[in-house]
Amino acid sequence: MPEAAVTNGESSQAPYQRNEWELFCRVFFQKKIAVLALFIICLTFIVAIFAPWIAPYDPNAQDLSNSMQPPSRQHLLGTDRLGMDTFSRIVWGSRTALIVGFSTTLISAFIGTVLGLLAGYFGGIINTVIMRFMDALMGFPMIVLALLLAGVLGPGMQNIIIALTVASVPGYVRIMCSMTLSVKENDYILAQRSIGSSSARTLFLHILPNAVQPMIVMITSGLGGVILGESGLSFLGVGITPPDIAWGSMVADGFKYLKTNPILSLAPGLAILLIVLSFNILGDSLRDALDPKLRGVL
Amino acid sequence: MLTYIARRLLWGIVVLILVSLIVFFTIRLLPGDPLLIYLADSDNLRSMSQEQLDGLRAQYGLDKPILLQYVSWIADILQGDLGRSIHYNENVATLMLERLPITLHLGLISMAISLPLGVIAGLIAALRRGSWIDNIVVVAAYIGTAVPVFLFGYILILIFGLKLEWLPIAGYTSPLDDFWLSTKKLIMPVFCMSLPGIAGMARQMRSSVLEVASQDFVRTAWSKGLTEKVVVFRHMLKNSLIPIVTIMGMSIGAIFGGSVLIENVFAIPGMGRLLVNSLFGQDYVMIQASTLITACIIVLSNLLVDISYGWFDPRIRYE
């Protein structure tokens, strides 16, 4: 553990870095559940990328003569009221989930990092303005804020990404701001400033690298939250619009046939659960493996 | 303590003003004529003559500068006038007074269930770390935070409503009208709403008990030869409950967020369903009012949590 603490500074040498990486791998890969989560995420990626080859049918092709089929060899998960193949739709839906998840999370992490750095580093009025505004945004439950924005902007993938981004930025700003505040107090930052370094240099070379690890953890768990949020909006019918396929709206569409053909709702619902669960578990495992204080404790 | 409360209140008011600005200007982002906010029908708008439009514009005060419009909107709200809903053709304030108690009924019962269950589950899991019971709690908490509430609702409906036919699958009855029916209708929604709460509470409690357990004063208590009961209840419990206060504050937000989905799954006429229906009815007066009121309730309850935090933990007063 003492070695691990040393590498947190900027003067990490090659042998330490290798130890750090090895330590990370050892803690991370000894947890079977973390490996499983990583596997599911990779699998979803592959499915999303190769959707046209994996899906046996066109996900939006209607075939009324084959509607409401139970699972069979032709239709792995059966078909819905319009004869659309459930399995193919779930395969294509993974694209939507990942695209919305990643664009939202990366954009909001970027905006959050910039605002949080500014608020934490410069303090004073800048901090007050940014942080009070974030407090106000956090006054809305995520789904209510996203609903408000999606309602005004209209449905569609791009608008959903904007709506969810606005709703997730405050979390990143908060963590980045408190991170910056705590790093700023270190003596090496004071030393840096006393030799006349510019603010930008201090921010980018010394404060930002410290924030990389908590950011990675937060982005990973944030992905789960955003995908859950998108599924909620799509479930309500204000989210993704055809021809894009959303798991959330598939669950909602299946409600009428819940008794006769529950798989229509349950299969896409389980897909959401599985991917969100995997991102949450991965996020927690990364936190445990990256934080020297938690290694071996949990 | 008084200066602390005064300062918190002041910031609370600032945040409330910002909240109202966000709501007001988001609605103004609406593409097209701002008259749409009051009319909800663009075809109707197009067929009107210029004089009619100008008349309406003057009637709703839309010819004035935007800041003045904002001020008069706030002034109306402070007098209890939230406007008139186009979709429901009713006074917004009256409608909300009908809907709010329903959401609070559902939400407060869920909170009352998830708090003790989550705390107990987290406490037991932490005290018996690594045991089968700990594993069950950890896995259940993971699933509870990741499951979409609407999926959980559908599964409950499928099993207890459609297959076993034990419970009604939709609607709401006031407990004052028919207590038994009201309870039966609420069982599944309450279960749905408390699941994320229980899971979050259990996870937080587990990690905070583990953290407290590693501190010096607990080791001292053990080494004095005190029994587990005394160590846990006298020394550990109070300290590990502090983060739970924060989670409690957050769960007010979770009630309103969760109600949006759960009330739509179980067709409960509360605030969440009101919001979604007014979105589909393009009833912007209603959307404006219900998001504003929701956010205000949450900001105010967070304010209470902050103040009570200062009460529990005096160090916070001098941040």
Side-chain angles (χ1 to χ4, degrees):
Chain A
M1 250 166 66
E3 289 98 329
V6 171
T7 53
N8 261 354
E10 74 269 38
S11 62
S12 51
Q13 294 149 5
Y16 278 134
Q17 239 162 19
R18 215 186 60 219
N19 279 346
E20 181 85 339
W21 175 243
E22 275 173 7
L23 204 56
F24 167 77
C25 288
R26 206 189 313 148
V27 176
F28 184 82
F29 285 103
Q30 83 183 13
K31 278 174 91 178
K32 288 187 202 78
I33 188 89
V35 178
L36 184 66
L38 190 62
F39 174 75
I40 293 175
I41 290 168
C42 292
L43 194 70
T44 314
F45 259 101
I46 293 169
V47 166
I49 292 168
F50 298 103
W53 292 277
I54 294 172
Y57 296 88
D58 176 347
N60 287 313
Q62 302 181 359
D63 177 6
L64 289 173
S65 59
N66 266 321
S67 73
M68 300 302 279
Q69 294 288 314
S72 64
R73 201 166 296 166
Q74 280 83 36
H75 297 280
L76 275 178
L77 293 171
T79 59
D80 67 4
R81 181 176 50 93
L82 297 169
M84 298 191 275
D85 181 56
T86 306
F87 178 71
S88 304
R89 291 179 68 75
I90 289 180
V91 166
W92 279 85
S94 66
R95 276 197 176 185
T96 312
L98 291 182
I99 290 174
V100 173
F102 273 92
S103 0
T104 304
T105 315
L106 294 180
I107 298 170
S108 46
F110 177 74
I111 299 174
T113 305
V114 173
L115 290 179
L117 275 176
L118 291 176
Y121 188 76
F122 293 107
I125 185 80
I126 298 180
N127 177 297
T128 310
V129 171
I130 295 179
M131 293 320 286
R132 292 310 132 181
F133 193 68
M134 292 305 137
D135 283 350
L137 281 180
M138 283 185 134
F140 303 86
M142 181 177 176
I143 190 146
V144 171
L145 186 59
L147 263 182
L148 174 70
L149 286 164
V152 170
L153 298 169
M157 197 184 287
Q158 198 188 330
N159 290 341
I160 293 309
I161 292 174
I162 297 175
L164 288 169
T165 301
V166 175
S168 12
V169 162
Y172 293 99
V173 177
R174 275 209 176 164
I175 205 144
M176 203 58 211
C177 179
S178 62
M179 191 73 212
T180 313
L181 282 173
S182 71
V183 175
K184 207 170 76 170
E185 298 305 315
N186 282 325
D187 285 342
Y188 68 88
I189 300 290
L190 190 66
Q192 193 67 40
R193 270 203 287 200
S194 63
I195 60 167
S197 257
S198 67
S199 295
R201 193 183 155 84
T202 312
L203 278 174
F204 284 106
L205 280 181
H206 302 288
I207 295 183
L208 208 52
N210 277 288
V212 169
Q213 289 190 0
M215 258 328 195
I216 291 175
V217 172
M218 197 160 166
I219 285 174
T220 316
S221 317
L223 274 163
V226 167
I227 293 176
L228 205 54
E230 178 268 312
S231 75
L233 291 178
S234 298
F235 173 79
L236 293 172
V238 287
I240 307 297
T241 42
D244 293 323
I245 293 155
W247 289 337
S249 33
M250 288 177 72
V251 177
D253 290 342
F255 180 65
K256 271 182 249 162
Y257 317 101
L258 198 58
K259 192 171 184 180
T260 47
N261 202 353
I263 206 164
L264 284 179
S265 280
L266 299 189
L270 286 177
I272 303 170
L273 170 62
L274 210 57
I275 191 73
V276 174
L277 191 60
S278 302
F279 276 122
N280 288 354
I281 290 175
L282 186 68
D284 278 7
S285 315
L286 283 177
R287 186 196 58 208
D288 295 351
L290 284 170
D291 188 343
K293 275 176 281 182
L294 287 172
R295 271 184 199 138
V297 175
L298 285 167
Chain B
M1 187 72 195
L2 269 180
T3 37
Y4 174 76
I5 293 179
R7 207 171 54 209
R8 284 284 138 185
L9 276 178
L10 197 70
W11 282 126
I13 292 169
V14 171
V15 170
L16 282 181
I17 293 173
L18 285 172
V19 161
S20 68
L21 281 168
I22 292 172
V23 171
F24 183 80
F25 283 100
T26 308
I27 296 290
R28 293 295 148 133
L29 280 178
L30 211 61
D33 198 313
L35 261 182
L36 267 178
I37 297 170
Y38 297 95
L39 295 181
D41 189 357
S42 48
D43 292 335
N44 204 351
L45 207 60
R46 240 173 263 127
S47 62
M48 277 186 222
S49 70
Q50 192 57 43
E51 287 87 62
Q52 274 177 309
L53 285 177
D54 288 342
L56 280 173
R57 230 178 278 280
Q59 187 194 329
Y60 292 122
L62 292 172
D63 50 351
K64 297 191 193 106
I66 193 146
L67 268 178
L68 214 66
Q69 291 179 33
Y70 169 74
V71 171
S72 73
W73 178 60
I74 292 290
D76 283 347
I77 288 173
L78 289 178
Q79 289 164 23
D81 176 14
L82 289 166
R84 197 169 174 79
S85 155
I86 312 144
H87 183 66
Y88 291 93
N89 195 22
E90 213 179 315
N91 190 312
V92 169
T94 329
L95 254 176
M96 252 189 292
L97 281 177
E98 270 167 37
R99 302 302 187 92
L100 197 56
I102 298 177
T103 299
L104 288 179
H105 182 198
L106 173 63
L108 293 177
I109 292 181
S110 312
M111 247 172 99
I113 289 175
S114 49
L115 178 67
L117 276 184
V119 166
I120 292 171
L123 182 66
I124 294 176
L127 292 178
R128 299 281 173 268
R129 201 169 105 204
S131 70
W132 60 271
I133 196 161
D134 181 29
N135 290 335
I136 290 178
V137 169
V138 169
V139 170
Y142 262 125
I143 294 177
T145 39
V147 69
V149 281
F150 51 87
L151 174 70
F152 188 55
Y154 277 12
I155 293 176
L156 291 180
I157 288 180
L158 178 64
I159 298 174
F160 298 104
L162 298 173
K163 296 283 179 196
L164 298 171
E165 296 186 356
W166 286 353
L167 296 167
I169 60 168
Y172 175 84
T173 310
S174 164
L176 302 174
D177 294 340
D178 184 344
F179 186 77
W180 177 231
L181 185 64
S182 165
T183 312
K184 261 169 82 172
K185 282 187 177 173
L186 269 181
I187 290 177
M188 289 197 287
V190 161
F191 202 20
C192 258
M193 186 148 335
S194 37
L195 183 76
I198 298 174
M201 211 75 92
R203 283 179 71 170
Q204 179 63 55
M205 189 66 192
R206 181 179 179 271
S207 60
S208 85
V209 170
L210 284 179
E211 200 180 318
V212 170
S214 69
Q215 285 183 8
D216 289 342
F217 71 91
V218 176
R219 201 184 314 146
T220 312
W222 282 118
S223 56
K224 278 197 294 188
L226 299 176
T227 59
E228 184 178 27
K229 208 155 109 191
V230 177
V231 176
V232 170
F233 288 100
R234 281 276 180 76
H235 297 258
M236 285 165 66
L237 195 59
K238 215 166 154 192
N239 285 288
S240 24
L241 279 175
I242 292 177
I244 297 294
V245 178
T246 318
I247 302 266
M248 287 273 287
M250 283 160 65
S251 45
I252 302 282
I255 287 178
F256 285 95
S259 76
V260 171
L261 290 167
I262 290 167
E263 289 176 359
N264 274 285
V265 170
F266 293 100
I268 296 170
M271 286 288 281
R273 198 166 166 83
L274 187 66
L275 176 61
V276 175
N277 283 349
S278 33
L279 260 174
F280 284 117
Q282 292 182 312
D283 188 344
Y284 295 104
V285 178
M286 189 78 234
I287 298 171
Q288 211 169 15
S290 56
T291 42
L292 181 71
I293 298 296
T294 304
C296 286
I297 293 173
I298 292 170
V299 170
L300 289 177
S301 57
N302 282 342
L303 195 67
L304 281 181
V305 170
D306 271 355
I307 291 174
S308 65
Y309 230 155
W311 181 266
F312 283 127
D313 191 346
R315 286 170 299 180
I316 290 177
R317 283 178 230 161
Y318 311 99
E319 53 187 20

